[in-house]
Amino acid sequence: MQVSFTLAEIAAIAKPSRTAGTTTESIRGIASLGSAKPGDISFLGNPKYRSAVASTLASIVLLPPDYAGGPGPNQVHMAVDNPSIALARLCSRIEQSLWPRPAPGIHPTATVAAEASVAESATVGPLCVVEPGAAVGERAHLQAHVFVGRGARVGEDSWLMPGVVVSAECTLGKRVRLHPGVVIGSDGFGYEFVSGRHEKVPQVGAVLIADDVEIGANTTIDRARFGLTVVGEGTKIDNLVQVGHNVVIGRHCLLCAQVGIAGSTTLEDYVVLGGQAGLAGHLTLARGVKVGAQSGVGKDVPAGASVFGSPSLPLIVEQRIAVLRKRLPELFKRVDALEQHLGLKAE
Amino acid sequence: MQVSFTLAEIAAIAKPSRTAGTTTESIRGIASLGSAKPGDISFLGNPKYRSAVASTLASIVLLPPDYAGGPGPNQVHMAVDNPSIALARLCSRIEQSLWPRPAPGIHPTATVAAEASVAESATVGPLCVVEPGAAVGERAHLQAHVFVGRGARVGEDSWLMPGVVVSAECTLGKRVRLHPGVVIGSDGFGYEFVSGRHEKVPQVGAVLIADDVEIGANTTIDRARFGLTVVGEGTKIDNLVQVGHNVVIGRHCLLCAQVGIAGSTTLEDYVVLGGQAGLAGHLTLARGVKVGAQSGVGKDVPAGASVFGSPSLPLIVEQRIAVLRKRLPELFKRVDALEQHLGLKAE
Amino acid sequence: MQVSFTLAEIAAIAKPSRTAGTTTESIRGIASLGSAKPGDISFLGNPKYRSAVASTLASIVLLPPDYAGGPGPNQVHMAVDNPSIALARLCSRIEQSLWPRPAPGIHPTATVAAEASVAESATVGPLCVVEPGAAVGERAHLQAHVFVGRGARVGEDSWLMPGVVVSAECTLGKRVRLHPGVVIGSDGFGYEFVSGRHEKVPQVGAVLIADDVEIGANTTIDRARFGLTVVGEGTKIDNLVQVGHNVVIGRHCLLCAQVGIAGSTTLEDYVVLGGQAGLAGHLTLARGVKVGAQSGVGKDVPAGASVFGSPSLPLIVEQRIAVLRKRLPELFKRVDALEQHLGLKAE
């Protein structure tokens, strides 16, 4: 991937409120403050790295308005409202060269059923399979080795990367982005124990993924027992996440990697789940709930609450207990001393 | 998916011991009590939802024999031994339309080695690969993008969904169901540390999946170092589970999502592992053991025991300790008070 | 898989310092001490199984030099420096028959862009996709259903198993082994919260996998926001592991199954992460750090340290606390008794 920007082009994208210094370099790369070389642009996004600004070799540094220091030799400081967002705008430009818009059409190696509907402007890449009754919307992109099952629907401008599986009757909204290996519509995990064997409970529902959802690599979302498993508009899910059958996830939630959600649990809007967190089934996490990494949630959580730990407790309670837990050796000694003082100790 | 049942058809499937009420609706959908509309059938499977029966809009409700209330207007109550199983029988009918039996034969885009054996009644779907020496049994279904390696065996009536990989020399029994992205026979994770490097220990064993096993999406089961990694008859495994090399899983076990089992551990029959539980290597979990979600098991567990926590303890011990752990702030205050009372507090 | 070795062939491979006993059997299988039958070779690799040597039915047993007992009837004991390594050498021979070297060339069903470069000695198997600008090195093997994206590079002698995805611009070194379903170069999980929505932060970096790295089935490694996510030389990663964007993993690390590493964290050389461990972002785990299974690491860890627990503590501290935690019921009783003794108990 080639990157090449002039100072003027950077300024036009980043729209700095203030600029200091000059550089003779054109910008050929992006790097963190610590690893940047001349010719790179860098930025201060996380205050943790503030002290690294003074020594960075980057030719241009995007900084928050309150940053006090000045640029080094042959270096430009640009003050912007939010350096992360300014850099993201720059990266969007680069992204277009990394992922050029594919030409519309169906690759000759793809297997598209006659009874499927594929929009003229859509791209069905090499070795994809689209089954009868499936519909692929305008400008949708099935990259390669993608499977779209019987009666499934892929909304316009959605992008299904290599190896994605969208099983029968499942629906994707507009601008949905599924990373490689995502499975939408595997069976829910449901059995009845009959005469010493686990008899399968048929899973005849489907999955609905709303608009602007992004789902990370190898994540799995089970179809409902009946009805729908739902992922709400604008929600973002990381890699290797498991979403059980009949789960309903609200709008604009964030699920970090390796989260697991058991069946029939509901997340209202703006819920955030830290990495490797696990949720039992049949719960409700109300609007704006935050769950810490590796937490295990077994009860409903009220709106706006932050919980942590396994089993989870309110965040400040768990933090307090975690501190005291570390002091257990001391506490045992203090109780020993009390007992000795009172002559209560057996030996 | 279209659903349409008359009241008489439902009764023939559910076989109620008692029916009350009438309805003019035909049944066009299945829904939970809370979300059902007229034209839906619903059921009381989990006692937690008992209070929702009185207000449901479902046209037919399947209820346990001891449910006391009567139906609303234009509504039918059917008393059945087990509402979940009655509904499952209904769903089985629907399932047949969702997943129609595929036509036998090898799709022209599949790559099947001349030295492979595929039964006449089997279906090898688009873009599958079957390597030399592999055997695909009667009525087995390789859906699409499935890989069956050199010398592997797929038993009769098994169903391998899109993207499944069955690696060389591995064996699947009858009626095995593998969800999308399952990997059977990846190498076990074994190295010897020699001169500062991890030298690979060759993994030349295989995997044996017995009859009636179902495995969830993107789950991985490693081949043995030598000999076999085994999953016993009737065992059901959820999504994103990791089974290490030389693990032996008994019959009729349940492994919930994201469980991990390290190498050479044995599960006897009827073991149940909660979601995200982890098992160390070289352990034995005896018959009927239950492991709670997110637990970490580092020792053998005797038959019938329930364990919980990380590191895990017997369930009732862990529950007791979890309660006391929450009372640590109180305990520290009480010890402070004792010390003050006795003048033992430094300040 | 057929195995057949004479006693002389075994001796030539295992190079024993001492041999005792004789056998009329030829060796047709490898098995653990407990499950071996006549005709099998077995070994004592883990001292835990020492007592099983006396009763094993194996025809040949590889033993450490300090093993004192003698062979049974029709049985050979071979003393070797490291029985595990001796067995691994034997298994390497078997491996060659399990995974024969594929013939070079591009399978007619593969889709290889004219603008891609594939070495003459490389094998591109059935139904693989190689995009424009990609390069596949000498003797590299893309087995089946493999996707190599625009501008990606696969180093010589690397082996990409079925369903592997190497996304655009990512680079694999020499002798890299990727198990089925591995995804290299999915987008990092980065969003900015703007006006109530999560706006995507473009992920325009790539992934660099160094020489001699092995990565387990369905593991996912995200591309950097910019710059590189790096996996260092000789590092081995197990199944279902998540590596976030901009993570830098040093040389000769071991990551067990289902580990998750959040963005921008650095592992120096020889770090070992136990199964299901989770690491927060922006951390440094210095050289030789060991993290226990299921641990959650939220702070930097100094060189050589062992940590355990969630949140993690130094191993010996956590072990001490874990013991005392189990004694909480006793401690509460002791404090009750103290209070009663002093008449401080309310009731």
mmCIF file of all heavy atoms in Angstrom, chain B residues 258-282:
data_model
loop_
_atom_site.group_PDB
_atom_site.id
_atom_site.type_symbol
_atom_site.label_atom_id
_atom_site.label_comp_id
_atom_site.label_asym_id
_atom_site.label_seq_id
_atom_site.Cartn_x
_atom_site.Cartn_y
_atom_site.Cartn_z
ATOM 1 N N GLN B 258 -17.830 -21.755 23.713
ATOM 2 C CA GLN B 258 -16.543 -21.166 24.087
ATOM 3 C C GLN B 258 -15.838 -21.935 25.200
ATOM 4 O O GLN B 258 -14.899 -21.425 25.804
ATOM 5 C CB GLN B 258 -16.722 -19.687 24.465
ATOM 6 C CG GLN B 258 -17.173 -18.870 23.260
ATOM 7 C CD GLN B 258 -17.469 -17.433 23.586
ATOM 8 O OE1 GLN B 258 -18.081 -17.142 24.593
ATOM 9 N NE2 GLN B 258 -17.067 -16.520 22.712
ATOM 10 N N VAL B 259 -16.265 -23.149 25.457
ATOM 11 C CA VAL B 259 -15.525 -24.013 26.370
ATOM 12 C C VAL B 259 -14.165 -24.357 25.758
ATOM 13 O O VAL B 259 -14.029 -24.453 24.528
ATOM 14 C CB VAL B 259 -16.339 -25.305 26.629
ATOM 15 C CG1 VAL B 259 -15.455 -26.473 27.011
ATOM 16 C CG2 VAL B 259 -17.408 -25.057 27.688
ATOM 17 N N GLY B 260 -13.169 -24.536 26.618
ATOM 18 C CA GLY B 260 -11.860 -24.990 26.161
ATOM 19 C C GLY B 260 -11.388 -26.179 26.979
ATOM 20 O O GLY B 260 -11.464 -26.152 28.214
ATOM 21 N N ILE B 261 -10.908 -27.221 26.310
ATOM 22 C CA ILE B 261 -10.417 -28.419 26.992
ATOM 23 C C ILE B 261 -8.992 -28.689 26.542
ATOM 24 O O ILE B 261 -8.741 -28.912 25.357
ATOM 25 C CB ILE B 261 -11.296 -29.650 26.680
ATOM 26 C CG1 ILE B 261 -12.777 -29.347 26.963
ATOM 27 C CG2 ILE B 261 -10.835 -30.864 27.480
ATOM 28 C CD1 ILE B 261 -13.706 -30.525 26.695
ATOM 29 N N ALA B 262 -8.076 -28.671 27.502
ATOM 30 C CA ALA B 262 -6.667 -28.905 27.160
ATOM 31 C C ALA B 262 -6.420 -30.397 26.920
ATOM 32 O O ALA B 262 -7.268 -31.245 27.225
ATOM 33 C CB ALA B 262 -5.775 -28.369 28.269
ATOM 34 N N GLY B 263 -5.251 -30.702 26.395
ATOM 35 C CA GLY B 263 -4.952 -32.022 25.872
ATOM 36 C C GLY B 263 -5.068 -33.153 26.882
ATOM 37 O O GLY B 263 -4.779 -33.010 28.071
ATOM 38 N N SER B 264 -5.492 -34.320 26.392
ATOM 39 C CA SER B 264 -5.480 -35.587 27.127
ATOM 40 C C SER B 264 -6.453 -35.640 28.292
ATOM 41 O O SER B 264 -6.358 -36.546 29.123
ATOM 42 C CB SER B 264 -4.065 -35.926 27.633
ATOM 43 O OG SER B 264 -3.193 -36.067 26.525
ATOM 44 N N THR B 265 -7.364 -34.708 28.381
ATOM 45 C CA THR B 265 -8.379 -34.781 29.431
ATOM 46 C C THR B 265 -9.516 -35.692 28.988
ATOM 47 O O THR B 265 -9.835 -35.790 27.809
ATOM 48 C CB THR B 265 -8.850 -33.366 29.809
ATOM 49 O OG1 THR B 265 -7.883 -32.815 30.699
ATOM 50 C CG2 THR B 265 -10.227 -33.358 30.471
ATOM 51 N N THR B 266 -10.085 -36.410 29.966
ATOM 52 C CA THR B 266 -11.176 -37.352 29.689
ATOM 53 C C THR B 266 -12.462 -36.892 30.353
ATOM 54 O O THR B 266 -12.462 -36.547 31.532
ATOM 55 C CB THR B 266 -10.804 -38.749 30.230
ATOM 56 O OG1 THR B 266 -9.679 -39.240 29.491
ATOM 57 C CG2 THR B 266 -11.966 -39.733 30.071
ATOM 58 N N LEU B 267 -13.540 -36.872 29.593
ATOM 59 C CA LEU B 267 -14.879 -36.656 30.147
ATOM 60 C C LEU B 267 -15.627 -37.977 30.013
ATOM 61 O O LEU B 267 -15.737 -38.521 28.910
ATOM 62 C CB LEU B 267 -15.640 -35.598 29.349
ATOM 63 C CG LEU B 267 -15.429 -34.128 29.679
ATOM 64 C CD1 LEU B 267 -13.980 -33.728 29.497
ATOM 65 C CD2 LEU B 267 -16.316 -33.230 28.818
ATOM 66 N N GLU B 268 -16.128 -38.466 31.132
ATOM 67 C CA GLU B 268 -16.969 -39.659 31.040
ATOM 68 C C GLU B 268 -18.366 -39.256 30.542
ATOM 69 O O GLU B 268 -18.588 -38.120 30.151
ATOM 70 C CB GLU B 268 -16.996 -40.366 32.394
ATOM 71 C CG GLU B 268 -15.587 -40.868 32.788
ATOM 72 C CD GLU B 268 -15.575 -41.664 34.084
ATOM 73 O OE1 GLU B 268 -16.636 -41.745 34.737
ATOM 74 O OE2 GLU B 268 -14.511 -42.201 34.447
ATOM 75 N N ASP B 269 -19.304 -40.176 30.530
ATOM 76 C CA ASP B 269 -20.630 -39.896 29.958
ATOM 77 C C ASP B 269 -21.393 -38.842 30.771
ATOM 78 O O ASP B 269 -21.187 -38.706 31.968
ATOM 79 C CB ASP B 269 -21.461 -41.183 29.923
ATOM 80 C CG ASP B 269 -20.803 -42.264 29.066
ATOM 81 O OD1 ASP B 269 -19.909 -41.947 28.264
ATOM 82 O OD2 ASP B 269 -21.190 -43.451 29.213
ATOM 83 N N TYR B 270 -22.284 -38.144 30.089
ATOM 84 C CA TYR B 270 -23.238 -37.226 30.723
ATOM 85 C C TYR B 270 -22.577 -36.068 31.472
ATOM 86 O O TYR B 270 -23.143 -35.539 32.434
ATOM 87 C CB TYR B 270 -24.195 -37.985 31.657
ATOM 88 C CG TYR B 270 -25.095 -38.945 30.908
ATOM 89 C CD1 TYR B 270 -24.886 -40.322 30.985
ATOM 90 C CD2 TYR B 270 -26.128 -38.468 30.101
ATOM 91 C CE1 TYR B 270 -25.700 -41.209 30.288
ATOM 92 C CE2 TYR B 270 -26.942 -39.350 29.400
ATOM 93 C CZ TYR B 270 -26.720 -40.716 29.491
ATOM 94 O OH TYR B 270 -27.527 -41.574 28.800
ATOM 95 N N VAL B 271 -21.407 -35.675 31.051
ATOM 96 C CA VAL B 271 -20.784 -34.492 31.641
ATOM 97 C C VAL B 271 -21.371 -33.240 30.974
ATOM 98 O O VAL B 271 -21.650 -33.245 29.774
ATOM 99 C CB VAL B 271 -19.249 -34.548 31.459
ATOM 100 C CG1 VAL B 271 -18.603 -33.217 31.823
ATOM 101 C CG2 VAL B 271 -18.677 -35.679 32.320
ATOM 102 N N VAL B 272 -21.584 -32.179 31.760
ATOM 103 C CA VAL B 272 -22.105 -30.914 31.235
ATOM 104 C C VAL B 272 -21.122 -29.800 31.584
ATOM 105 O O VAL B 272 -20.780 -29.615 32.753
ATOM 106 C CB VAL B 272 -23.486 -30.586 31.834
ATOM 107 C CG1 VAL B 272 -23.994 -29.231 31.333
ATOM 108 C CG2 VAL B 272 -24.492 -31.689 31.509
ATOM 109 N N LEU B 273 -20.673 -29.058 30.575
ATOM 110 C CA LEU B 273 -19.746 -27.946 30.799
ATOM 111 C C LEU B 273 -20.431 -26.642 30.430
ATOM 112 O O LEU B 273 -20.857 -26.440 29.291
ATOM 113 C CB LEU B 273 -18.488 -28.109 29.936
ATOM 114 C CG LEU B 273 -17.732 -29.433 30.059
ATOM 115 C CD1 LEU B 273 -16.474 -29.404 29.167
ATOM 116 C CD2 LEU B 273 -17.332 -29.701 31.509
ATOM 117 N N GLY B 274 -20.522 -25.705 31.393
ATOM 118 C CA GLY B 274 -21.126 -24.393 31.138
ATOM 119 C C GLY B 274 -20.254 -23.543 30.231
ATOM 120 O O GLY B 274 -19.067 -23.808 30.036
ATOM 121 N N GLY B 275 -20.827 -22.505 29.692
ATOM 122 C CA GLY B 275 -20.149 -21.657 28.708
ATOM 123 C C GLY B 275 -18.847 -21.072 29.231
ATOM 124 O O GLY B 275 -18.736 -20.688 30.390
ATOM 125 N N GLN B 276 -17.845 -21.033 28.371
ATOM 126 C CA GLN B 276 -16.543 -20.425 28.664
ATOM 127 C C GLN B 276 -15.777 -21.151 29.759
ATOM 128 O O GLN B 276 -14.757 -20.642 30.222
ATOM 129 C CB GLN B 276 -16.683 -18.942 29.015
ATOM 130 C CG GLN B 276 -17.250 -18.114 27.872
ATOM 131 C CD GLN B 276 -17.339 -16.636 28.178
ATOM 132 O OE1 GLN B 276 -17.452 -16.228 29.320
ATOM 133 N NE2 GLN B 276 -17.296 -15.807 27.129
ATOM 134 N N ALA B 277 -16.238 -22.315 30.187
ATOM 135 C CA ALA B 277 -15.451 -23.077 31.157
ATOM 136 C C ALA B 277 -14.153 -23.548 30.515
ATOM 137 O O ALA B 277 -14.088 -23.763 29.300
ATOM 138 C CB ALA B 277 -16.253 -24.275 31.666
ATOM 139 N N GLY B 278 -13.123 -23.705 31.356
ATOM 140 C CA GLY B 278 -11.837 -24.178 30.866
ATOM 141 C C GLY B 278 -11.370 -25.365 31.683
ATOM 142 O O GLY B 278 -11.489 -25.361 32.915
ATOM 143 N N LEU B 279 -10.836 -26.381 31.015
ATOM 144 C CA LEU B 279 -10.337 -27.577 31.705
ATOM 145 C C LEU B 279 -8.859 -27.731 31.405
ATOM 146 O O LEU B 279 -8.453 -27.687 30.237
ATOM 147 C CB LEU B 279 -11.071 -28.827 31.194
ATOM 148 C CG LEU B 279 -12.417 -29.215 31.812
ATOM 149 C CD1 LEU B 279 -13.388 -28.057 31.882
ATOM 150 C CD2 LEU B 279 -13.041 -30.366 31.040
ATOM 151 N N ALA B 280 -8.065 -27.927 32.442
ATOM 152 C CA ALA B 280 -6.642 -28.194 32.248
ATOM 153 C C ALA B 280 -6.468 -29.570 31.594
ATOM 154 O O ALA B 280 -7.434 -30.303 31.406
ATOM 155 C CB ALA B 280 -5.918 -28.143 33.585
ATOM 156 N N GLY B 281 -5.244 -29.893 31.247
ATOM 157 C CA GLY B 281 -4.963 -31.141 30.567
ATOM 158 C C GLY B 281 -4.823 -32.323 31.520
ATOM 159 O O GLY B 281 -4.667 -32.161 32.730
ATOM 160 N N HIS B 282 -4.921 -33.540 30.987
ATOM 161 C CA HIS B 282 -4.641 -34.767 31.740
ATOM 162 C C HIS B 282 -5.559 -34.954 32.943
ATOM 163 O O HIS B 282 -5.145 -35.526 33.955
ATOM 164 C CB HIS B 282 -3.169 -34.811 32.174
ATOM 165 C CG HIS B 282 -2.209 -34.870 31.014
ATOM 166 N ND1 HIS B 282 -1.813 -36.037 30.439
ATOM 167 C CD2 HIS B 282 -1.623 -33.887 30.296
ATOM 168 C CE1 HIS B 282 -0.995 -35.780 29.436
ATOM 169 N NE2 HIS B 282 -0.859 -34.483 29.317
#
